[in-house]
Amino acid sequence: MNKTREQVVTDNIWGAPALFMIAAFVCFNFASGASATKAGWILYACGWVPALTMLTWCAIKRRKPGIGGAVSFSLLTMFALVFWLTHG
């Protein structure tokens, strides 16, 4: 099954928070100092931008977010809990 260009773009944007979570994880666990912790929280917060943008796009287009939305927001919520417990 071939995906349309729009579907490929939306799939990639829904997956974008994972990149921010990986970068935040590296800052929290492999870098040391207050600036690394601050950078980790900033990267985590930036992870919400593509997910919220796609949620807004889906609302405008009157579509369901689908599995991409569920995975993105689940990932963001899970990492928020982990980061808060370990570096809150």
Side-chain angles (χ1 to χ4, degrees):
M1 178 173 102
N2 292 333
K3 292 184 177 183
T4 64
R5 179 175 289 236
E6 182 182 1
Q7 185 64 40
V8 171
V9 170
T10 57
D11 288 350
N12 288 330
I13 295 174
W14 276 123
L19 300 174
F20 289 101
M21 297 305 102
I22 292 169
F25 181 80
V26 168
C27 283
F28 283 130
N29 293 308
F30 298 113
S32 61
S35 61
T37 301
K38 185 176 180 179
W41 283 115
I42 290 169
L43 286 167
Y44 168 76
C46 289
W48 283 91
V49 173
L52 292 174
T53 301
M54 283 306 301
L55 188 64
T56 304
W57 183 255
C58 287
I60 290 169
K61 292 277 198 169
R62 296 180 185 216
R63 288 192 214 161
K64 293 181 181 178
I67 191 71
V71 170
S72 288
F73 288 109
S74 297
L75 182 73
L76 286 162
T77 304
M78 181 185 69
F79 270 89
L81 181 62
V82 169
F83 292 158
W84 178 71
L85 289 173
T86 58
H87 298 284

